[in-house]
Amino acid sequence: ETKKWLVENVNLSFPQIKEAAMWIRENEVVAFPTETVYGLGANAYSYEAVAKIFQAKGRPSDNPLIVHIAKMEQLQPLVQDIPEHANKLINAFWPGPLTLVLNKGEGIAENVTAGLSTVAVRMPDHPVALAIIAEANLPIAAPSANVSGKPSPTTAAHVFDDLNGKIAGIVDGGATGVGVESTVLDCTTEIPMILRPGGVTKEQLEEVIGPVSVDPALEEDGQAPKSPGLKYKHYAPKAKLFLVEGNPLFLQQQVLAEKAKGKKVGILTTVENQVEYEADVILPCGSVKDLSSVAQHLYEVLRKFDEYDLDIIFSETFPEEGVGKAIMNRLTKAAGGDVVKCKI
Ligand code: TXA
Ligand code: MG
């Protein structure tokens, strides 16, 4: 039922792009690649079209969507004003993995923003996404194209596994690059606040506009996150995931203890460290030398664990610098906050 368009070269694939864009104009939902993860797009001006996104994903209706644009002219009508710091960030990072929360303008469907007075907007840095938005000539509301609760999709196959039969089409433009979602930054306050760590780091933002704050809920337990989406369980594989702080030897001890109880155990590690372990399934996720490679493969690896009938997964932790913040944010959510710490 769900149509697939293979797009290997944007210029040569114009008929496919045009058809996908036409379906969006007709208020159908279509998945397409962005530089971060695949998005599930619909006409941001149509309540009916946007409702189909919530329906297909099983997304709670209080969780607002990001509106995607391809040109700056599309921004003005979506927002009330563009503060100076937002302007600087747009110049520095768009197109790119930075979503700005701004005061909402007129006309956007009510369900896009889940009734909030603000709207989240970004310009994705992917030729296929940009071509579809430009061709549809509409702002496109698009959450990640996964079933709610699952890891975000970084390939068209992931989208197909989750949403085949539930959406009109999927544009297959290959694997995405960044691998984790955009940084969500609230620009409605004097000092902007990071609501979700992502592809653009706090350090990068501060280089352009000076001090940026971080939603306290991201750093401490027990606080309600300011971004509605972050309160939900997310990214979790079927087997119970634990993060392990400490060295490979300590992680291997956890594995042995579970094996002794007859459990089937998986390990999430890196290409360098995989040789240190013995377990039922060992999946390397990028290189310790390059956190962006870990981000790029994280969701694919979390999904891959579901192909084995595991009881428990132990994951290494990663330094919380640069994109490591986003990696640890997603892994912590996937683990439901469960961390095993080496006490020596
Ligand atoms: O990289 C990305 O951002 C991907 C690609 C497809 O663009 N999209 C994505 O969308 O991750 P989604 O819906 O999975 O996550 C959007 C996040 C949610 O946590 C949502 O609560 C938050 O952005 N959000 C959206 N509008 C908001 C608003 N007005 N205020 C605060 N948070 C908002
Ligand atoms: Mg999502």
Side-chain angles (χ1 to χ4, degrees):
E1 266 181 321
T2 295
K3 174 143 191 182
K4 275 207 246 178
W5 295 278
L6 187 61
V7 169
E8 280 163 329
N9 175 318
V10 189
N11 298 318
L12 300 179
S13 308
F14 197 64
Q16 289 92 313
I17 301 264
K18 215 172 159 150
E19 194 181 4
M22 189 198 68
W23 286 31
I24 286 178
R25 286 196 68 83
E26 288 173 0
N27 293 338
E28 293 299 334
V29 292
V30 170
F32 55 82
T34 79
E35 82 280 30
T36 56
V37 301
Y38 272 73
L40 182 60
N43 175 3
Y45 288 127
S46 164
Y47 188 97
E48 173 214 343
V50 171
K52 290 180 186 171
I53 291 178
F54 284 90
Q55 173 76 31
K57 280 181 61 91
R59 184 174 175 108
S61 60
D62 69 348
N63 190 2
L65 309 179
I66 297 170
V67 178
H68 295 65
I69 59 173
K71 317 171 263 231
M72 277 310 288
E73 302 91 87
Q74 290 182 302
L75 180 61
Q76 250 80 27
L78 298 175
V79 300
Q80 273 176 31
D81 57 332
I82 305 167
E84 189 47 39
H85 51 51
N87 242 322
K88 288 187 184 155
L89 295 171
I90 287 170
N91 288 327
F93 297 109
W94 280 9
L98 177 65
T99 294
L100 303 179
V101 173
L102 297 164
N103 287 312
K104 179 185 171 177
E106 311 275 297
I108 313 159
E110 191 64 29
N111 48 356
V112 169
T113 57
L116 296 176
S117 62
T118 54
V119 61
V121 191
R122 85 178 190 101
M123 188 187 289
D125 187 15
H126 194 291
V128 174
L130 292 171
I132 291 172
I133 302 163
E135 185 57 27
N137 197 22
L138 287 169
I140 295 183
S144 49
N146 51 293
V147 161
S148 270
K150 293 240 284 179
S152 295
T154 54
T155 67
H158 296 161
V159 181
F160 191 80
D161 287 346
D162 279 16
L163 298 174
N164 181 30
K166 296 181 180 167
I167 61 176
I170 303 172
V171 180
D172 182 351
T176 60
V178 178
V180 292
E181 300 87 341
S182 62
T183 303
V184 177
L185 186 72
D186 182 355
C187 289
T188 64
T189 49
E190 201 167 291
I191 296 179
M193 182 184 278
I194 294 176
L195 305 184
R196 177 178 75 179
V200 173
T201 66
K202 181 168 187 271
E203 296 87 334
Q204 288 175 303
L205 296 172
E206 290 187 327
E207 258 175 52
V208 177
I209 56 163
V212 165
S213 64
V214 177
D215 182 352
L218 296 176
E219 327 249 83
E220 301 150 37
D221 289 341
Q223 296 225 30
K226 291 187 170 47
S227 186
L230 271 66
K231 67 173 179 283
Y232 294 105
K233 191 176 154 140
H234 217 161
Y235 315 114
K238 283 184 205 145
K240 174 66 193 126
L241 175 69
F242 287 94
L243 308 188
V244 181
E245 261 177 32
N247 51 29
L249 204 67
F250 179 68
L251 195 155
Q252 184 66 50
Q253 283 169 5
Q254 312 309 307
V255 174
L256 292 177
E258 293 302 320
K259 295 291 299 167
K261 293 184 229 162
K263 303 280 193 233
K264 212 172 157 193
V265 185
I267 299 176
L268 188 155
T269 176
T270 56
V271 283
E272 291 87 357
N273 287 355
Q274 59 181 327
V275 294
E276 309 272 343
Y277 299 111
E278 261 177 71
D280 295 291
V281 176
I282 299 168
L283 297 182
C285 181
S287 162
V288 279
K289 298 192 202 98
D290 178 14
L291 282 178
S292 63
S293 72
V294 176
Q296 197 175 0
H297 296 287
L298 183 64
Y299 293 149
E300 165 199 323
V301 168
L302 287 175
R303 278 178 182 260
K304 185 95 186 148
F305 278 117
D306 285 350
E307 291 173 19
Y308 310 91
D309 194 25
L310 298 172
D311 298 302
I312 192 163
I313 302 164
F314 292 107
S315 172
E316 291 184 1
T317 54
F318 297 89
E320 293 204 30
E321 55 204 38
V323 78
K325 273 263 183 235
I327 294 168
M328 286 306 293
N329 170 268
R330 309 307 192 269
L331 271 175
T332 304
K333 283 180 77 69
D338 286 327
V339 185
V340 186
K341 289 186 185 160
C342 183
K343 299 218 172 55
I344 37 154

Short mmCIF file of all heavy atoms in Angstrom, two decimals, residues 32 34-40 57 59 62-68 97 99 101-102 112-113 116-122 124 142-146 152 180-184 186 195-196 226-230 234-235 330, ligand 1:
data_model
loop_
_atom_site.label_atom_id
_atom_site.label_comp_id
_atom_site.label_asym_id
_atom_site.label_seq_id
_atom_site.Cartn_x
_atom_site.Cartn_y
_atom_site.Cartn_z
N PHE A 32 10.41 11.16 4.24
CA PHE A 32 11.56 11.53 3.41
C PHE A 32 12.79 11.70 4.29
O PHE A 32 12.68 11.93 5.51
CB PHE A 32 11.27 12.82 2.62
CG PHE A 32 10.85 13.99 3.47
CD1 PHE A 32 11.80 14.78 4.11
CD2 PHE A 32 9.50 14.30 3.63
CE1 PHE A 32 11.42 15.86 4.89
CE2 PHE A 32 9.11 15.38 4.42
CZ PHE A 32 10.07 16.16 5.05
N THR A 34 16.07 13.45 5.98
CA THR A 34 16.72 14.72 6.28
C THR A 34 18.15 14.36 6.67
O THR A 34 18.51 13.17 6.68
CB THR A 34 16.04 15.49 7.44
OG1 THR A 34 16.46 14.94 8.68
CG2 THR A 34 14.51 15.47 7.31
N GLU A 35 18.97 15.34 6.98
CA GLU A 35 20.37 15.04 7.35
C GLU A 35 20.46 14.37 8.72
O GLU A 35 21.47 13.76 9.04
CB GLU A 35 21.21 16.32 7.31
CG GLU A 35 21.14 17.22 8.54
CD GLU A 35 19.87 18.09 8.55
OE1 GLU A 35 18.83 17.69 8.00
OE2 GLU A 35 19.93 19.19 9.14
N THR A 36 19.39 14.47 9.53
CA THR A 36 19.43 13.88 10.88
C THR A 36 18.84 12.48 10.88
O THR A 36 19.54 11.48 11.06
CB THR A 36 18.66 14.76 11.88
OG1 THR A 36 17.32 14.94 11.41
CG2 THR A 36 19.34 16.10 12.07
N VAL A 37 17.51 12.40 10.69
CA VAL A 37 16.77 11.13 10.63
C VAL A 37 15.68 11.30 9.57
O VAL A 37 15.47 12.40 9.08
CB VAL A 37 16.13 10.79 12.01
CG1 VAL A 37 17.20 10.68 13.10
CG2 VAL A 37 15.07 11.80 12.42
N TYR A 38 14.97 10.21 9.24
CA TYR A 38 13.84 10.34 8.31
C TYR A 38 12.68 11.05 9.02
O TYR A 38 12.42 10.82 10.20
CB TYR A 38 13.38 8.97 7.81
CG TYR A 38 14.12 8.51 6.57
CD1 TYR A 38 15.45 8.10 6.65
CD2 TYR A 38 13.51 8.52 5.31
CE1 TYR A 38 16.15 7.72 5.51
CE2 TYR A 38 14.20 8.13 4.17
CZ TYR A 38 15.52 7.74 4.28
OH TYR A 38 16.20 7.37 3.15
N GLY A 39 12.00 11.93 8.27
CA GLY A 39 10.84 12.63 8.80
C GLY A 39 9.57 12.12 8.13
O GLY A 39 9.61 11.58 7.03
N LEU A 40 8.44 12.31 8.83
CA LEU A 40 7.14 11.94 8.26
C LEU A 40 6.37 13.24 8.03
O LEU A 40 5.90 13.86 8.98
CB LEU A 40 6.39 11.03 9.22
CG LEU A 40 5.03 10.52 8.75
CD1 LEU A 40 5.16 9.72 7.46
CD2 LEU A 40 4.38 9.66 9.83
N LYS A 57 1.78 7.36 13.54
CA LYS A 57 2.85 7.13 14.51
C LYS A 57 2.33 6.63 15.85
O LYS A 57 3.10 6.12 16.65
CB LYS A 57 3.60 8.44 14.80
CG LYS A 57 4.63 8.84 13.77
CD LYS A 57 5.30 10.15 14.18
CE LYS A 57 6.05 10.10 15.49
NZ LYS A 57 7.47 9.73 15.40
N ARG A 59 1.22 8.83 17.93
CA ARG A 59 1.88 9.87 18.73
C ARG A 59 0.88 10.55 19.65
O ARG A 59 -0.22 10.91 19.22
CB ARG A 59 2.49 10.91 17.79
CG ARG A 59 3.30 12.02 18.48
CD ARG A 59 3.94 12.85 17.41
NE ARG A 59 4.65 14.02 17.86
CZ ARG A 59 5.99 14.13 17.84
NH1 ARG A 59 6.72 13.11 17.44
NH2 ARG A 59 6.58 15.25 18.20
N ASP A 62 -0.42 15.62 22.63
CA ASP A 62 0.15 16.81 23.29
C ASP A 62 1.61 17.03 22.91
O ASP A 62 2.29 17.87 23.50
CB ASP A 62 0.01 16.70 24.81
CG ASP A 62 0.89 15.60 25.39
OD1 ASP A 62 1.43 14.77 24.62
OD2 ASP A 62 1.04 15.56 26.63
N ASN A 63 2.11 16.29 21.93
CA ASN A 63 3.52 16.41 21.54
C ASN A 63 3.63 17.12 20.18
O ASN A 63 3.34 16.54 19.15
CB ASN A 63 4.14 15.01 21.47
CG ASN A 63 5.65 15.06 21.32
OD1 ASN A 63 6.26 16.14 21.31
ND2 ASN A 63 6.26 13.90 21.18
N PRO A 64 4.07 18.40 20.20
CA PRO A 64 4.06 19.19 18.96
C PRO A 64 5.11 18.76 17.94
O PRO A 64 6.07 18.06 18.29
CB PRO A 64 4.38 20.60 19.48
CG PRO A 64 5.13 20.39 20.75
CD PRO A 64 4.58 19.14 21.35
N LEU A 65 4.91 19.19 16.70
CA LEU A 65 5.78 18.79 15.59
C LEU A 65 6.70 19.94 15.17
O LEU A 65 6.39 21.10 15.42
CB LEU A 65 4.93 18.39 14.38
CG LEU A 65 3.81 17.38 14.65
CD1 LEU A 65 3.04 17.12 13.35
CD2 LEU A 65 4.39 16.08 15.20
N ILE A 66 7.79 19.59 14.49
CA ILE A 66 8.69 20.60 13.92
C ILE A 66 8.23 20.92 12.50
O ILE A 66 7.93 20.00 11.72
CB ILE A 66 10.14 20.07 13.90
CG1 ILE A 66 10.64 19.83 15.33
CG2 ILE A 66 11.05 21.05 13.15
CD1 ILE A 66 11.98 19.09 15.41
N VAL A 67 8.16 22.21 12.16
CA VAL A 67 7.80 22.62 10.81
C VAL A 67 9.09 22.81 10.00
O VAL A 67 10.02 23.49 10.46
CB VAL A 67 6.98 23.92 10.82
CG1 VAL A 67 6.64 24.35 9.40
CG2 VAL A 67 5.70 23.72 11.64
N HIS A 68 9.15 22.18 8.83
CA HIS A 68 10.34 22.23 7.99
C HIS A 68 10.13 23.19 6.82
O HIS A 68 9.10 23.13 6.15
CB HIS A 68 10.67 20.83 7.47
CG HIS A 68 11.05 19.86 8.55
ND1 HIS A 68 10.16 19.46 9.54
CD2 HIS A 68 12.22 19.23 8.83
CE1 HIS A 68 10.79 18.61 10.36
NE2 HIS A 68 12.04 18.46 9.94
N PRO A 97 21.02 20.93 11.45
CA PRO A 97 20.28 20.24 12.51
C PRO A 97 19.97 21.11 13.74
O PRO A 97 20.29 20.73 14.86
CB PRO A 97 21.18 19.06 12.86
CG PRO A 97 22.54 19.52 12.50
CD PRO A 97 22.41 20.47 11.35
N THR A 99 16.76 23.29 15.44
CA THR A 99 15.34 23.68 15.43
C THR A 99 15.15 24.84 16.39
O THR A 99 15.60 24.78 17.54
CB THR A 99 14.47 22.48 15.87
OG1 THR A 99 14.58 21.46 14.88
CG2 THR A 99 13.01 22.88 16.04
N VAL A 101 12.59 27.31 18.48
CA VAL A 101 11.22 27.51 18.98
C VAL A 101 10.98 29.01 19.07
O VAL A 101 11.72 29.73 19.74
CB VAL A 101 11.04 26.83 20.35
CG1 VAL A 101 9.67 27.16 20.95
CG2 VAL A 101 11.20 25.31 20.22
N LEU A 102 9.96 29.48 18.33
CA LEU A 102 9.66 30.92 18.22
C LEU A 102 8.18 31.13 18.49
O LEU A 102 7.39 30.17 18.46
CB LEU A 102 10.01 31.40 16.81
CG LEU A 102 11.50 31.28 16.42
CD1 LEU A 102 11.69 31.40 14.92
CD2 LEU A 102 12.33 32.32 17.16
N VAL A 112 -0.35 20.99 14.89
CA VAL A 112 1.10 21.02 14.68
C VAL A 112 1.80 21.40 15.98
O VAL A 112 2.82 20.82 16.35
CB VAL A 112 1.49 22.03 13.57
CG1 VAL A 112 3.00 22.25 13.54
CG2 VAL A 112 0.99 21.56 12.21
N THR A 113 1.25 22.40 16.66
CA THR A 113 1.90 22.92 17.86
C THR A 113 1.25 22.40 19.14
O THR A 113 1.59 22.86 20.23
CB THR A 113 1.85 24.47 17.86
OG1 THR A 113 0.47 24.87 17.78
CG2 THR A 113 2.59 25.05 16.67
N LEU A 116 0.20 24.90 21.70
CA LEU A 116 1.14 25.85 22.31
C LEU A 116 1.13 27.18 21.55
O LEU A 116 0.69 27.24 20.40
CB LEU A 116 2.57 25.29 22.28
CG LEU A 116 2.85 24.02 23.08
CD1 LEU A 116 4.28 23.56 22.85
CD2 LEU A 116 2.60 24.26 24.56
N SER A 117 1.63 28.23 22.17
CA SER A 117 1.70 29.54 21.51
C SER A 117 3.02 29.70 20.75
O SER A 117 3.29 30.72 20.15
CB SER A 117 1.56 30.66 22.54
OG SER A 117 2.63 30.56 23.45
N THR A 118 3.86 28.65 20.82
CA THR A 118 5.13 28.68 20.09
C THR A 118 5.13 27.63 18.99
O THR A 118 4.33 26.68 19.02
CB THR A 118 6.30 28.39 21.04
OG1 THR A 118 6.04 27.15 21.71
CG2 THR A 118 6.48 29.50 22.06
N VAL A 119 6.04 27.82 18.02
CA VAL A 119 6.19 26.83 16.94
C VAL A 119 7.67 26.52 16.78
O VAL A 119 8.53 27.39 16.92
CB VAL A 119 5.58 27.35 15.62
CG1 VAL A 119 6.27 28.63 15.14
CG2 VAL A 119 5.62 26.29 14.52
N ALA A 120 7.98 25.24 16.51
CA ALA A 120 9.36 24.82 16.28
C ALA A 120 9.59 24.76 14.77
O ALA A 120 8.79 24.18 14.04
CB ALA A 120 9.59 23.44 16.91
N VAL A 121 10.69 25.38 14.31
CA VAL A 121 10.96 25.45 12.87
C VAL A 121 12.41 25.08 12.57
O VAL A 121 13.30 25.46 13.34
CB VAL A 121 10.74 26.89 12.31
CG1 VAL A 121 10.77 26.88 10.78
CG2 VAL A 121 9.45 27.49 12.81
N ARG A 122 12.62 24.37 11.47
CA ARG A 122 14.00 24.20 11.01
C ARG A 122 14.07 24.06 9.50
O ARG A 122 13.08 23.72 8.84
CB ARG A 122 14.71 23.05 11.71
CG ARG A 122 14.49 21.65 11.11
CD ARG A 122 15.32 20.65 11.93
NE ARG A 122 15.37 19.33 11.29
CZ ARG A 122 16.41 18.88 10.59
NH1 ARG A 122 17.48 19.62 10.40
NH2 ARG A 122 16.37 17.67 10.06
N PRO A 124 16.07 21.82 6.96
CA PRO A 124 16.96 20.65 6.96
C PRO A 124 18.05 20.77 5.89
O PRO A 124 17.84 21.41 4.86
CB PRO A 124 16.02 19.50 6.64
CG PRO A 124 14.87 20.11 5.92
CD PRO A 124 14.73 21.52 6.46
N ALA A 142 6.87 17.77 10.28
CA ALA A 142 7.44 16.42 10.21
C ALA A 142 8.12 16.00 11.50
O ALA A 142 9.15 16.56 11.87
CB ALA A 142 8.43 16.31 9.06
N PRO A 143 7.56 15.01 12.18
CA PRO A 143 8.29 14.37 13.29
C PRO A 143 9.18 13.28 12.69
O PRO A 143 9.14 13.04 11.49
CB PRO A 143 7.18 13.74 14.11
CG PRO A 143 6.15 13.35 13.09
CD PRO A 143 6.25 14.38 11.97
N SER A 144 9.99 12.64 13.52
CA SER A 144 10.74 11.49 13.05
C SER A 144 9.74 10.42 12.59
O SER A 144 8.67 10.27 13.17
CB SER A 144 11.64 10.97 14.16
OG SER A 144 10.90 10.82 15.37
N ALA A 145 10.13 9.67 11.52
CA ALA A 145 9.18 8.76 10.86
C ALA A 145 9.18 7.35 11.47
O ALA A 145 9.18 6.35 10.75
CB ALA A 145 9.48 8.71 9.37
N ASN A 146 9.18 7.28 12.80
CA ASN A 146 9.10 6.00 13.51
C ASN A 146 7.75 5.89 14.19
O ASN A 146 7.07 6.90 14.39
CB ASN A 146 10.21 5.95 14.57
CG ASN A 146 10.21 7.18 15.45
OD1 ASN A 146 10.49 8.28 15.00
ND2 ASN A 146 9.85 6.99 16.72
N SER A 152 14.38 6.51 16.29
CA SER A 152 14.12 7.22 15.05
C SER A 152 14.75 6.47 13.87
O SER A 152 15.76 5.80 14.04
CB SER A 152 14.68 8.64 15.12
OG SER A 152 14.00 9.36 16.12
N VAL A 180 21.38 11.42 14.83
CA VAL A 180 20.49 11.83 15.93
C VAL A 180 19.75 13.09 15.49
O VAL A 180 20.17 13.79 14.58
CB VAL A 180 21.24 12.08 17.27
CG1 VAL A 180 21.79 10.78 17.81
CG2 VAL A 180 22.34 13.12 17.10
N GLU A 181 18.63 13.37 16.15
CA GLU A 181 17.77 14.46 15.73
C GLU A 181 18.41 15.83 15.97
O GLU A 181 19.43 15.94 16.65
CB GLU A 181 16.43 14.42 16.48
CG GLU A 181 15.62 13.15 16.27
CD GLU A 181 15.99 12.06 17.25
OE1 GLU A 181 17.09 12.12 17.86
OE2 GLU A 181 15.19 11.13 17.42
N SER A 182 17.71 16.86 15.45
CA SER A 182 18.19 18.23 15.59
C SER A 182 18.18 18.67 17.05
O SER A 182 17.45 18.13 17.89
CB SER A 182 17.29 19.16 14.77
OG SER A 182 15.97 19.12 15.27
N THR A 183 19.01 19.67 17.33
CA THR A 183 18.98 20.36 18.61
C THR A 183 17.74 21.24 18.63
O THR A 183 17.48 21.96 17.66
CB THR A 183 20.24 21.25 18.74
OG1 THR A 183 21.38 20.41 18.59
CG2 THR A 183 20.28 21.98 20.07
N VAL A 184 16.94 21.16 19.71
CA VAL A 184 15.77 22.04 19.83
C VAL A 184 16.13 23.17 20.80
O VAL A 184 16.49 22.91 21.97
CB VAL A 184 14.52 21.28 20.31
CG1 VAL A 184 13.34 22.25 20.49
CG2 VAL A 184 14.14 20.17 19.33
N ASP A 186 14.91 26.83 22.48
CA ASP A 186 13.84 27.80 22.73
C ASP A 186 14.42 29.21 22.62
O ASP A 186 15.27 29.60 23.42
CB ASP A 186 13.26 27.58 24.14
CG ASP A 186 12.11 28.53 24.44
OD1 ASP A 186 11.83 29.42 23.60
OD2 ASP A 186 11.49 28.39 25.50
N LEU A 195 16.36 22.67 24.68
CA LEU A 195 15.32 21.78 25.19
C LEU A 195 15.62 20.33 24.85
O LEU A 195 15.18 19.41 25.53
CB LEU A 195 13.95 22.15 24.59
CG LEU A 195 13.48 23.59 24.77
CD1 LEU A 195 12.07 23.75 24.21
CD2 LEU A 195 13.52 23.99 26.24
N ARG A 196 16.36 20.12 23.75
CA ARG A 196 16.77 18.77 23.37
C ARG A 196 18.15 18.88 22.74
O ARG A 196 18.32 19.59 21.77
CB ARG A 196 15.79 18.17 22.35
CG ARG A 196 16.21 16.78 21.86
CD ARG A 196 15.21 16.16 20.88
NE ARG A 196 15.29 16.76 19.55
CZ ARG A 196 14.54 16.39 18.51
NH1 ARG A 196 13.65 15.42 18.65
NH2 ARG A 196 14.68 16.98 17.35
N LYS A 226 10.83 20.77 29.49
CA LYS A 226 10.05 21.83 28.87
C LYS A 226 9.57 21.45 27.47
O LYS A 226 8.61 22.00 26.97
CB LYS A 226 10.88 23.11 28.81
CG LYS A 226 11.11 23.69 30.20
CD LYS A 226 11.77 25.05 30.13
CE LYS A 226 11.80 25.74 31.48
NZ LYS A 226 12.24 24.90 32.60
N SER A 227 10.29 20.54 26.82
CA SER A 227 9.84 20.08 25.50
C SER A 227 8.92 18.87 25.70
O SER A 227 9.35 17.86 26.27
CB SER A 227 11.05 19.68 24.66
OG SER A 227 10.62 19.37 23.37
N PRO A 228 7.65 18.99 25.29
CA PRO A 228 6.68 17.94 25.62
C PRO A 228 7.14 16.53 25.24
O PRO A 228 6.89 15.57 25.97
CB PRO A 228 5.45 18.34 24.79
CG PRO A 228 5.58 19.81 24.59
CD PRO A 228 7.05 20.10 24.51
N GLY A 229 7.84 16.41 24.11
CA GLY A 229 8.23 15.08 23.61
C GLY A 229 9.17 14.33 24.53
O GLY A 229 9.24 13.11 24.51
N LEU A 230 9.92 15.08 25.34
CA LEU A 230 10.98 14.43 26.11
C LEU A 230 10.49 13.69 27.34
O LEU A 230 11.24 12.97 27.99
CB LEU A 230 12.08 15.44 26.49
CG LEU A 230 13.19 15.55 25.43
CD1 LEU A 230 12.67 16.12 24.13
CD2 LEU A 230 14.35 16.35 25.94
N HIS A 234 11.31 6.44 25.01
CA HIS A 234 11.70 6.60 23.61
C HIS A 234 12.92 5.74 23.33
O HIS A 234 13.65 5.41 24.24
CB HIS A 234 12.08 8.07 23.41
CG HIS A 234 11.67 8.61 22.07
ND1 HIS A 234 11.56 9.94 21.84
CD2 HIS A 234 11.37 8.02 20.89
CE1 HIS A 234 11.20 10.15 20.58
NE2 HIS A 234 11.08 9.00 19.99
N TYR A 235 13.11 5.41 22.09
CA TYR A 235 14.36 4.81 21.59
C TYR A 235 14.64 3.41 22.16
O TYR A 235 15.71 2.87 21.93
CB TYR A 235 15.58 5.70 21.91
CG TYR A 235 15.37 7.16 21.62
CD1 TYR A 235 15.34 8.11 22.64
CD2 TYR A 235 15.18 7.59 20.31
CE1 TYR A 235 15.15 9.46 22.37
CE2 TYR A 235 14.99 8.94 20.04
CZ TYR A 235 14.97 9.86 21.07
OH TYR A 235 14.78 11.18 20.80
N ARG A 330 19.91 10.22 24.45
CA ARG A 330 19.07 9.18 23.83
C ARG A 330 19.29 7.83 24.50
O ARG A 330 18.34 7.08 24.74
CB ARG A 330 19.35 9.05 22.34
CG ARG A 330 19.31 10.34 21.52
CD ARG A 330 18.04 11.15 21.67
NE ARG A 330 17.98 12.19 20.66
CZ ARG A 330 18.45 13.43 20.81
NH1 ARG A 330 19.00 13.83 21.95
NH2 ARG A 330 18.37 14.31 19.80
O1 TXA B 1 16.01 16.13 13.41
C1 TXA B 1 14.84 16.31 13.71
O2 TXA B 1 14.48 17.24 14.46
C2 TXA B 1 13.80 15.36 13.12
C3 TXA B 1 13.78 15.54 11.61
C4 TXA B 1 12.72 14.73 10.94
O3 TXA B 1 13.65 16.90 11.30
N1 TXA B 1 12.52 15.59 13.69
C5 TXA B 1 12.20 15.25 14.96
O4 TXA B 1 10.87 15.50 15.28
O5 TXA B 1 12.98 14.77 15.73
P1 TXA B 1 10.18 14.86 16.57
O6 TXA B 1 8.75 15.21 16.42
O7 TXA B 1 10.53 13.43 16.68
O8 TXA B 1 10.75 15.70 17.76
C6 TXA B 1 10.36 17.05 17.91
C7 TXA B 1 10.69 17.51 19.30
C8 TXA B 1 9.77 16.90 20.32
O9 TXA B 1 10.51 16.61 21.49
C9 TXA B 1 8.76 18.03 20.57
O10 TXA B 1 8.17 17.94 21.84
C10 TXA B 1 9.63 19.26 20.41
O11 TXA B 1 10.50 18.94 19.35
N2 TXA B 1 8.84 20.45 20.05
C11 TXA B 1 8.14 20.68 18.93
N3 TXA B 1 7.51 21.86 18.98
C12 TXA B 1 7.84 22.42 20.17
C13 TXA B 1 7.52 23.67 20.83
N4 TXA B 1 6.73 24.55 20.26
N5 TXA B 1 8.05 23.87 22.04
C14 TXA B 1 8.87 22.96 22.62
N6 TXA B 1 9.22 21.78 22.06
C15 TXA B 1 8.71 21.51 20.85
#
